[in-house]
Amino acid sequence: MTDKIKMTTPLVEMDGDEMTRILWKWIKDILITPYVELKTKYYDLGLPYRNETNDKVTFDSAEATKKYGVAVKCATITPNAARMPEYNLKEMWKSPNGTIRAILDGTVFRTPIIVKGISPYIPTWTKPITIARHAYGDVYKNSEMRVQKGSKAELVVTDKNGNETRQEIYDFTDSDGIIQGLHNKDESIAGFARACFNYGLDLKQDVWFATKDTISKKYDHRFKDIFGEIYEKEYKDRYEALGIEYFYTLIDDAVARVIRSNGGYIWACKNYDGDVMSDMVSTAYGSLAMMTSVLVSPDGIYEYEAAHGTVQRHYYNYLKGEETSTNSVATIFAWSGALRKRGELDGLDDLIDYADKLEKATINTIEDGVMTGDLYLLSSLENKKKVDSETFLKEIGTRLDAMMSK
Ligand code: NAP
Ligand code: MG
């Protein structure tokens, strides 16, 4: 065995909860620390320590991510009423992902991991579709009312000098009804556009964007204009040099084209479209446990994680001493994604090479027929075999070891 791979800048490591916390340690012990002299700034985002620090640790971890530029995060519990007595909580702490996203002002990109034997429900989707959801405004920050018959509803905007501009929404002469006010900010849309265009450069993939600008001539049209202007001014030359493109169309046309496509692009979605389409796309690719997620800020800060949660049901079985067969693939890819990005930023080719091999060993294991229960149910391989959580990691380890000692 040759020397371990050295890192120059630390990675921000955010530990988490339940079954994924167990997997986290095994992944490090079996697949990472034997090969990499791991340098991390460790933050324990497990619920007990968040509670102990009044959630300060979450804020500290986000600030550290801003400082160092790359983080890897384990799944964490977002407390609900049932967690209050279970963890003896002082407060129902907010979702760590929400807190971190607000501090980094980022966009979340979700990408499926594709393996032989697990076919997407849409057979033409042979390459991954990455969905980017604009995580600000629209219907998620709306103001809405029920309106009684005989009322007239108007939009009223008061400028800084006190001048009002009014526009009728509807005159409810004939019926009771409902109204809704939405907003978005040029700044937020521009940040979203840049995050998407940057990620397109990273992945060397086309970026698709769609709205309903023919119907919404001011609101949706503003999204289209901002994306178009930023692309022309800041990205067009680099996209053309890489042979990739920015493609804009109407949302209904986009949905039809996505279904007919082979994948292999980034689909930038307005907030609501992203909410709906990310669930559709991840289901169509087969398993939530095979979906990675990365938060990218407009100024190029990256936080990698799995898209799934803490797999609570498996954890309770684990605590009872029962065998579990939990899929660690998305969490492994969070680590490989973060280590590769660290390698790219610091010019460490051996770290990049290690990240590639870790992913390859993981995919080879499944394609050799060795897999966890969730994939076993979906796989069409004839020689498939279901293994427990730890055996799965050891099987990946055997393949990785062979690749690393070449
Ligand atoms: P979940 O942890 O994603 O698990 C839901 C179910 O999906 C599991 O019971 C399991 O199905 C299957 N599953 C998910 N990931 C799997 C994996 N890696 N391997 C095998 N099966 C997997 O969602 P949840 O149970 O709704 O949430 C549990 C906790 O996670 C909650 O406290 C929630 O707040 C938190 N959460 C955190 C994040 C995050 O940190 N990013 C995201 C979502 C949820 P079977 O039981 O059928 O085997
Ligand atoms: Mg949704």
Side-chain angles (χ1 to χ4, degrees):
M1 173 93 209
T2 46
D3 282 351
K4 285 192 196 181
I5 298 161
K6 298 211 169 36
M7 296 175 64
T8 46
T9 318
L11 195 61
V12 175
E13 174 184 353
M14 303 169 175
D15 208 343
D17 287 299
E18 300 194 310
M19 198 61 209
T20 43
R21 188 182 180 95
I22 308 295
L23 299 178
W24 195 258
K25 184 170 186 313
W26 286 342
I27 290 170
K28 283 168 62 179
D29 289 349
I30 300 169
L31 298 176
I32 302 175
T33 54
Y35 311 99
V36 180
E37 220 163 80
L38 194 58
K39 239 186 173 180
T40 73
K41 294 280 169 190
Y42 179 87
Y43 293 86
D44 184 0
L45 301 198
L47 189 50
Y49 195 63
R50 273 184 277 149
N51 190 51
E52 196 182 315
T53 60
N54 299 321
D55 208 23
K56 184 173 177 296
V57 64
T58 307
F59 289 82
D60 290 349
S61 73
E63 290 303 332
T65 304
K66 268 187 166 172
K67 180 171 170 194
Y68 293 103
V70 186
V72 58
K73 180 181 171 292
C74 181
T76 47
I77 294 170
T78 299
N80 55 16
R83 302 295 195 167
M84 298 295 288
E86 184 184 355
Y87 284 87
N88 198 9
L89 299 181
K90 297 183 228 172
E91 254 181 60
M92 212 184 280
W93 306 109
K94 286 203 183 121
S95 151
N97 287 51
T99 302
I100 295 164
R101 201 180 306 142
I103 293 173
L104 299 182
D105 180 29
T107 298
V108 174
F109 296 86
R110 275 176 157 211
T111 310
I113 299 154
I114 295 181
V115 291
K116 274 192 217 96
I118 315 260
S119 343
Y121 288 99
I122 311 285
T124 48
W125 287 1
T126 49
K127 287 177 277 184
I129 297 171
T130 296
I131 291 227
R133 173 180 172 189
H134 183 211
Y136 180 83
D138 301 351
V139 74
Y140 303 86
K141 278 215 189 301
N142 70 359
S143 169
E144 48 182 37
M145 284 183 211
R146 288 182 62 174
V147 178
Q148 278 181 352
K149 181 175 169 177
S151 315
K152 187 165 91 172
E154 293 176 301
L155 281 177
V156 182
V157 174
T158 313
D159 73 15
K160 61 179 181 227
N161 302 316
N163 305 315
E164 284 183 356
T165 309
R166 289 171 173 271
Q167 194 175 308
E168 184 176 303
I169 298 172
Y170 192 72
D171 196 351
F172 289 87
T173 51
D174 52 345
S175 167
D176 292 352
I178 42 181
I179 59 164
Q180 182 180 56
L182 308 181
H183 83 280
N184 222 301
K185 298 194 287 188
D186 285 7
E187 199 184 45
S188 173
I189 300 166
F192 175 54
R194 289 196 179 93
C196 293
F197 290 135
N198 286 337
Y199 205 58
L201 291 174
D202 268 10
L203 264 50
K204 298 184 185 58
Q205 287 183 353
D206 295 347
V207 172
W208 293 20
F209 182 51
T211 72
K212 196 70 186 177
D213 67 273
T214 46
I215 299 298
S216 172
K217 292 188 166 62
K218 297 242 164 63
Y219 197 103
D220 275 22
H221 212 287
R222 190 74 195 128
F223 280 83
K224 176 184 178 183
D225 289 345
I226 290 174
F227 264 73
E229 284 159 20
I230 288 178
Y231 177 71
E232 287 294 325
K233 262 196 219 133
E234 302 173 25
Y235 293 93
K236 193 169 183 218
D237 295 346
R238 281 182 282 169
Y239 270 55
E240 285 177 356
L242 282 175
I244 55 177
E245 63 170 14
Y246 166 55
F247 174 63
Y248 178 86
T249 186
L250 285 172
I251 185 67
D252 36 1
D253 180 49
V255 169
R257 285 171 187 266
V258 164
I259 294 293
R260 290 196 304 264
S261 78
N262 299 126
Y265 50 86
I266 295 160
W267 186 10
C269 290
K270 286 181 67 200
N271 208 347
Y272 178 83
D273 297 336
D275 185 350
V276 177
M277 292 304 162
S278 65
D279 284 318
M280 187 192 73
V281 169
S282 63
T283 307
Y285 276 104
S287 169
L288 192 57
M290 297 292 278
M291 188 65 77
T292 60
S293 175
V294 51
L295 176 71
V296 183
S297 83
D299 41 347
I301 291 164
Y302 293 76
E303 184 239 319
Y304 293 82
E305 63 174 326
H308 61 77
T310 60
V311 211
Q312 180 182 17
R313 195 184 68 79
H314 296 209
Y315 181 59
Y316 289 165
N317 292 340
Y318 169 83
L319 289 180
K320 281 187 270 176
E322 290 168 15
E323 187 179 293
T324 61
S325 184
T326 316
N327 187 335
S328 46
V329 171
T331 308
I332 295 170
F333 273 63
W335 274 101
S336 58
L339 290 168
R340 179 184 297 108
K341 178 53 73 179
R342 197 65 276 164
E344 287 169 4
L345 294 173
D346 296 344
L348 305 172
D349 290 341
D350 49 354
L351 193 59
I352 298 173
D353 180 61
Y354 162 80
D356 292 344
K357 285 178 174 155
L358 175 55
E359 292 180 358
K360 188 113 203 359
T362 305
I363 288 173
N364 286 356
T365 304
I366 300 168
E367 294 186 345
D368 285 346
V370 180
M371 60 194 81
T372 47
D374 57 319
L375 298 184
Y376 183 83
L377 292 174
L378 298 170
S379 176
S380 59
L381 295 183
E382 277 176 12
N383 60 340
K384 63 182 176 178
K385 181 172 96 184
K386 176 183 160 179
V387 294
D388 66 81
S389 311
E390 202 176 0
T391 303
F392 180 63
L393 289 166
K394 287 181 175 157
E395 289 272 357
I396 298 170
T398 307
R399 288 162 180 80
L400 179 62
D401 212 54
M403 288 181 188
M404 293 300 290
S405 52
K406 257 186 212 147

